[in-house]
Structures are given as C-alpha cells and as structure tokens.
C-alpha cells in the first residue's frame, strides 16, 4: 500500500511542479504581453505624431512649390518691365538737362550691370531702378548750385 501512495505523492508533486512552472510561464508571458501592448500604444502615438509632422511638411512643401511657380511667373513678367524701365531711365538721363552728366552716366552704367547680373534678385533690381528714377525725378524738383562748364551745342 505504501508503494501506490508514494507514487501518488510523487505524481502529485510532479504535477504541482508542472502547474507551478506553467503559472510562472503564464505570469512572465502576461507581463511581456502587457509590456508589448504598452509599447505598441507608444509606437502608435509616435507614428501619429510623425504622420502629422510629415503631412505638415508636405503642405509646406506644396506651398513653397506654389510660391516658386508664382515667383517664376512674376519674374518672367517683370523682367521685360525692368528692361523697359532701364531704357526709360537711360533716355531721361541722355535727353534731360546737361548737368552732372558723368555722375548720371555712372549711375546708369551701374544699373545696367545690376540688371544684367543673374545673381541679383528681381526685387533688388526693381528697388535699385526705382531709386535711380527717384534721383532723376528729384533733379526736376530740387535745386543745387555748383560750378561747371557745360558744353551746349559745341559752345
């Protein structure tokens, strides 16, 4: 009778060890599962944040592309205007009163160099040409006294 009782106790002990091992495995796997679920949640939040950032960057990129397209269109339209403006300035300077001829010609030469320089922005070209026109316009509204010999019709 002792033999079957001993086997029953050993079987019960073996079974208990197996149950304990399974419980430990289940607790370990459950903890790992919960940790992975938490990590998945964090990764989803990060993915959402990154997606929002990417969407914003795409919108900004599209807006910049539109601005570049518009800038190219405006540049194409304003460049002939700047050339006309420079020609008008040259005509006004040449046909205007014969004073400060050298200073005026130097200004025109600098503006011509500026207008033909592709490294200078269209806005800067426009600003400088307008300044040149303003200087020429001021010759008709201001007075200045200086001594000079003026060649008028060869005399």
């Amino acid at each position: 009778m002792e033999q079957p009782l001993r086997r029953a106790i050993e079987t019960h002990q073996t079974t208990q060890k197996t149950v304990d091992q399974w419980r430990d495995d289940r607790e370990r796997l459950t903890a790992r599962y919960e940790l992975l679920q938490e990590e998945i949640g964090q990764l989803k939040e990060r993915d959402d944040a990154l997606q929002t950032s990417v969407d914003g960057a795409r919108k900004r990129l599209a807006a910049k592309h539109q601005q570049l397209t518009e800038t190219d269109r405006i540049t194409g339209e304003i460049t002939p205007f700047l050339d006309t403006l420079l020609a008008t300035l040259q005509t006004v300077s040449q046909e205007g009163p014969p004073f400060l001829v050298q200073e005026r010609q130097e200004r025109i030469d600098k503006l011509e160099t500026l207008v033909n320089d592709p490294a200078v922005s269209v806005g800067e070209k426009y600003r400088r040409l307008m300044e040149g026109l303003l200087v020429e316009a001021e010759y008709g509204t201001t007075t200045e006294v200086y001594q000079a010999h003026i060649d008028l019709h060869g005399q």
Side-chain angles (χ1 to χ4, degrees):
M1 175 99 170
E2 240 179 73
Q3 191 73 320
L5 187 60
R6 186 170 262 144
R7 268 192 278 180
I9 292 173
E10 287 175 0
T11 304
H12 180 64
Q13 287 175 345
T14 305
T15 305
Q16 187 61 43
K17 285 179 183 177
T18 304
V19 168
D20 289 345
Q21 180 65 38
W22 285 352
R23 187 180 323 112
D24 290 344
D25 288 347
R26 188 181 79 203
E27 287 175 4
R28 185 178 47 81
L29 291 173
T30 301
R32 174 95 171 128
Y33 175 77
E34 289 171 355
L35 182 67
L36 289 173
Q37 286 298 102
E38 184 179 325
E39 191 175 330
I40 286 171
Q42 291 172 351
L43 289 173
K44 283 182 180 179
E45 288 176 9
R46 185 159 186 230
D47 183 54
D48 291 345
L50 288 173
Q51 189 60 44
T52 301
S53 178
V54 166
D55 291 344
R58 283 186 179 141
K59 286 179 184 177
R60 287 189 305 275
L61 184 63
K64 290 294 182 188
H65 181 66
Q66 180 63 30
Q67 284 178 343
L68 285 174
T69 302
E70 190 66 18
T71 299
D72 288 344
R73 184 188 64 78
I74 290 170
T75 299
E77 291 176 5
I78 203 166
T79 300
F81 171 72
L82 294 178
D83 293 338
T84 303
L85 195 60
L86 180 61
T88 301
L89 195 57
Q90 288 170 332
T91 302
V92 166
S93 178
Q94 290 171 357
E95 294 178 0
F99 56 87
L100 301 174
V101 176
Q102 183 176 353
E103 178 183 320
R104 292 166 80 189
Q105 187 58 47
E106 286 174 6
R107 184 178 314 103
I108 297 296
D109 292 343
K110 286 179 184 176
L111 288 173
E112 190 170 352
T113 302
L114 178 90
V115 167
N116 293 324
D117 187 355
V120 178
S121 72
V122 173
E124 179 65 12
K125 290 176 185 179
Y126 178 79
R127 184 184 70 77
R128 297 284 295 274
L129 281 169
M130 286 300 161
E131 284 176 354
L133 278 175
L134 183 62
V135 169
E136 286 294 325
E138 285 178 351
Y139 286 141
T141 60
T142 60
T143 58
E144 183 178 326
V145 178
Y146 67 95
Q147 267 189 332
H149 293 283
I150 297 176
D151 181 24
L152 188 61
H153 305 296
Q155 297 183 9

